[in-house]
Amino acid sequence: MRLTIKTKLIAVFAVLIALLGASSFMALKEAAELQATLDDMVEDTAAQLDESLTMEAAAATTMSIVKSYLMEPDDAAATALAEEAEAEILHVAEAIGNMRRLNLTETEEAALQRFEAEWEEFLAAEDEIRELGLAKTNVRALETYQTQSEPAYGIVYTMVEEIVANVRERIASATLRDPRLATLEENVDALTDNLRALHSYERDLLIDNSAEKIEISQAGIEAETASLQDHLAAAEAVATGADRQALDSLSVAWQEWRELMQATTELSVQNTNTLASRLLKDQLEPAFDESFAAAAAMATMSRDNLGLAQDDAHAAYATSRNLLLTLGAVAATIAVVAAFWLSTTISRGLARAVEVACEVARGNLDIHAKSDKRDEIGDLLNAMDKMVVDLRDMSRAAETIAKGDLTADVKPRSDEDQLGMALRDMVVKLRDVISNASVSATYVAEGASDMSATAEQLSAGSNQQASAAEQASASIEEMTANIRQNADNAAQTEKIANQSAEDARQSGEAVGNAVRAMKTIADKINIIQEIARQTDLLALNAAVEAARAGTHGKGFAVVASEVRKLAERSQQAAAEISSLSSQTVEVSGEAGRMLETLVPNIQRTADLVQEISASTREQNVGAEQINEAIRELDKVIQQNAAAAEQSAATSQELAAQSQQLNAVIGYFTVADAGRHAAAAPRPAKAAPSVAAKQAPKKSASKTVEAFDLDLSSSDVSDADFTRYAG
Amino acid sequence: MFEDEVLSEEADVEEDESSTYLTFDLGGQTLGVDVRFVREIIDVKKITPLPNAPSEVLGVVDVRGQSVPIVDLGRRLGVAPGDWAEEARMVVLEFATGYRNRQIGIQADRVRNVDQIAQSEIEPIPRDGFALWDAGVLLGLSRRNEDLIVLIDLQGIFGDAGDELDLTAGAGFF
């Protein structure tokens, strides 16, 4: 049978749970019993105790209330207290009712009945007492006496005193003794005594409540009343006039007091308070004592019952505790044993699994993990063994690949076998890569030989370039010489132009001087003209004088005429000179103006020539720079030619290297031998992206490293070279 | 004064044969005046106009400290005024009237010459048919080459009648 860890665990836990259930059931049962006992205790015994205590207390309260209302002088308060007593009595009755509803034992029943009998007796006595107690005759008698009888007595007494005093005065004043007056005085005096005695009896009745004393007082009152009536009658018989009237009014007052006194006396005679007290002492108190004792007995009985119930509960607790302890000990023992057994089994199996896993992690695949255990640990170890075997297979496949055999196909064990899939993909990719690399190497070899030819062509082109550059350099040299000549000529021209400008300016100044000179001449000529004119005038005046002199002045007239002619001639000559000189001034002015306009033009020409000279100098510098650049270019071309030769050498070496690469790739065995040959054209068509893209890139980068020539920027072809050279 | 008297006597003597005339241009015409009345020829001077003077009197000029009135002869003779020129002169005339010599200046566009003109060369004024033409101030015409010289009788213009020309009177000739 296969005994798995799961089964073992389930079995152990089942036993433990059964024991736990048993102990729980026991505990529950004991608790229920305890509950019942407690209920009994609370519902019956405690209730009994409660009720009997209530009875006891209510009885005591009733008793004290009864005493209170007996003592209470006020009627209303007494009545209220009586009602309270009634309520307490009801409480007792209620408690008795409650008690009756409980489950009572026979003894309890008997005790209750005894209490009830005693209580009935108490109630009967109380009824009797209440009637008497509430009547309160003694109190009322005292009240009547104080409020009514006493004042009435005072009135009567005063009247009597007055009459006596009046009569005695008259007797004393009478000279002769009037017997009537004496009789009157005597009777009235006796009447006064009677009144005092009556008053005394009345007060005695109020004070003393004993039966004998009451009888004595009653008898005394009757005797004194009769005596008083006699004396009053006798007095009335002898009285006359005013006395008669006084006696009449006295008689009226007496009648009034007499009635009041009689009422007081009657109340006093009833004497209820005394009776009540006596009843209380004789009947009620013994009845109360007995009923109280009965109630107390009941309470004691209930208390005893409670003690019994407590003992029962203690016993039940002890029993159940012992049972539960035993069950717990058994369960603990079972749990400890099972835990030790299970943990040992599991840890031993897991330790073995860990050992295997560590070895696998270390790379040791020669370990055997097989186990003949038939639990989960056994399963785990068997699974690990399988894993180790699979890994061993995988490593063997990898070894094969490492040896260069790419023909083997690796089969992944499942869809999740990433290592298997990676190995399979690796083989496939390697196969692809090797085929492609082989093809590429071939291409590289071809390309290298092509490149070698190209480099040679490049070298030839560079030589041609060099000669062309030399030619250009010579031409530029010539051009530079021409430009320098031009610059020199321009400088000379500039100098001449400046000189011309200066000359023109000087000419202008000379012309200005000439004009000024001419103007001076004109001024001088004017003077001459003026002189000639004056001379003419003088000559004319002389002629006039001569004419006026008549014949004597004839010779003078001739002279004057001659002088005048001379003056006119000189005037004419001066005018001519003046006009000539003004013409000269005009012409000179014109010449000056022309020279003035000429000067800026010449200056401008000079400036322009200067500019030409400057730009020619700049040209000269530029030509020098061009010359320099061409020399540099020539140098570069020389270098290029050298580089081209070197590149030819390098590409030959590259061809050699690519053949070596082919040899290296040959290490890998790919599927079949025929495929290697056929692969050459296939990738070029099928996968040009890989072959074509990689091949030029690699060669380009290599070229850059080798020659420092940038051929990667554009496609280099033969056409480019021919065009450049031509 | 003394000389003046002598001159006048001599002039009377020679008048029979020929007279000497001072010829000058005025307003395009060539006029001739007897040289006896010519005191002096001077340069044109600044004419100081006089207030309230007659319209013929242009003003006075200073001739050697003497104020000489200048009369507009062209206007007097009804001759259009000529262009003022470089050769313009002033001719100071002198008349012996009463106890003193009176001097009057006239303007000339140009003074030509002092010529002797014989009486025979003087043609009369062709005034036939013009009854109203007062030719009293004209002595006659004299030909010199192609030009005609108009000889003026200064005495007739400024002579006796000239007495009225009193500057102090402040009135004109008319």
Side-chain angles (χ1 to χ4, degrees), chain A residues 339-359:
Chain A
F340 185 72
W341 176 49
L342 281 170
S343 63
T344 311
T345 314
I346 292 167
S347 78
R348 208 177 288 149
L350 282 179
R352 177 69 186 145
V354 166
E355 189 190 341
V356 171
C358 281
E359 285 299 316

Side-chain angles (χ1 to χ4, degrees), chain B:
Chain B
M1 274 293 203
F2 176 72
E3 277 177 12
D4 285 347
E5 282 173 12
V6 174
L7 273 172
S8 63
E9 281 172 37
E10 280 171 0
D12 287 335
V13 175
E14 286 177 0
E15 223 169 16
D16 300 328
E17 311 147 21
S18 63
S19 294
T20 313
Y21 290 91
L22 179 72
T23 57
F24 60 95
D25 293 350
L26 182 66
Q29 293 180 356
T30 306
L31 303 177
V33 294
D34 198 331
V35 84
R36 285 180 299 165
F37 302 111
V38 176
R39 173 74 181 88
E40 198 179 358
I41 299 159
I42 57 168
D43 267 331
V44 173
K45 291 190 175 178
K46 186 178 162 246
I47 297 168
T48 307
L50 292 170
N52 205 22
S55 58
E56 282 91 347
V57 179
L58 296 171
V60 292
V61 296
D62 174 63
V63 181
R64 295 184 230 287
Q66 209 175 350
S67 295
V68 176
I70 301 297
V71 174
D72 192 351
L73 184 65
R75 184 165 175 165
R76 185 76 176 82
L77 297 175
V79 177
D83 297 329
W84 185 86
E86 191 75 14
E87 292 164 292
R89 298 285 185 268
M90 284 182 172
V91 179
V92 180
L93 306 175
E94 191 176 45
F95 302 100
T97 50
Y99 55 90
R100 64 181 177 99
N101 291 331
R102 197 160 51 84
Q103 290 185 346
I104 291 172
I106 58 169
Q107 286 176 313
D109 291 343
R110 179 189 169 204
V111 176
R112 286 189 171 235
N113 214 342
V114 180
D115 283 337
Q116 272 200 331
I117 300 168
Q119 198 64 43
S120 55
E121 288 175 35
I122 298 172
E123 296 170 20
I125 302 298
R127 52 177 294 209
D128 300 335
F130 305 100
L132 294 171
W133 187 2
D134 178 16
V137 295
L138 303 178
L139 294 175
L141 299 170
S142 171
R143 290 182 191 276
R144 179 67 45 105
N145 302 329
E146 287 172 12
D147 295 336
L148 272 175
I149 301 170
V150 181
L151 299 175
I152 306 164
D153 178 15
L154 282 176
Q155 197 73 36
I157 298 168
F158 300 114
D160 301 329
D163 285 345
E164 294 166 15
L165 190 69
D166 187 0
L167 290 174
T168 57
F173 294 107
F174 307 106

Side-chain angles (χ1 to χ4, degrees), chain A residues 391-414:
Chain A
L391 279 173
R392 218 177 284 144
D393 286 352
M394 206 61 77
S395 75
R396 222 167 277 139
E399 272 168 33
T400 317
I401 294 162
K403 277 174 192 151
D405 183 8
L406 298 179
T407 53
D409 278 334
V410 181
K411 286 201 183 73
R413 285 152 295 182
S414 67

Side-chain angles (χ1 to χ4, degrees), chain A residues 175-333:
Chain A
T175 45
L176 20 132
R177 196 174 175 265
D178 189 350
R180 248 187 347 115
L181 274 179
T183 314
L184 185 64
E185 193 264 329
E186 203 177 312
N187 283 326
V188 172
D189 207 20
L191 200 144
T192 312
D193 289 339
N194 288 337
L195 279 174
R196 281 192 193 124
L198 275 172
H199 189 224
S200 172
Y201 280 128
E202 191 184 10
R203 280 162 68 177
D204 282 350
L205 271 175
L206 287 172
I207 292 160
D208 200 338
N209 293 329
S210 60
E212 312 96 80
K213 207 77 177 164
I214 288 169
E215 269 174 46
I216 292 166
S217 297
Q218 268 183 319
I221 287 169
E222 274 173 34
E224 287 299 324
T225 308
S227 167
L228 196 147
Q229 288 284 10
D230 291 345
H231 285 124
L232 189 60
E236 277 178 347
V238 289
T240 53
D243 293 334
R244 184 70 193 226
Q245 273 182 346
L247 285 175
D248 283 346
S249 60
L250 178 68
S251 173
V252 172
W254 153 243
Q255 284 306 322
E256 251 172 65
W257 181 52
R258 192 182 162 188
E259 278 167 24
L260 287 168
M261 190 182 63
Q262 271 175 351
T264 312
T265 311
E266 269 167 31
L267 282 170
S268 294
V269 166
Q270 277 181 6
N271 196 16
T272 53
N273 290 35
T274 316
L275 285 174
S277 299
R278 203 169 297 144
L279 267 175
L280 181 72
K281 211 171 282 168
D282 294 347
Q283 295 182 9
L284 193 64
E285 279 189 346
F288 166 72
D289 284 344
E290 274 173 34
S291 54
F292 191 79
M298 269 163 65
T300 314
M301 203 182 288
S302 299
R303 241 174 244 129
D304 291 349
N305 283 347
L306 268 178
L308 285 175
Q310 194 182 17
D311 288 349
D312 282 356
H314 277 304
Y317 165 72
T319 316
S320 60
R321 184 188 61 190
N322 291 341
L323 195 62
L324 284 172
L325 278 175
T326 313
L327 277 173
V330 170
T333 313

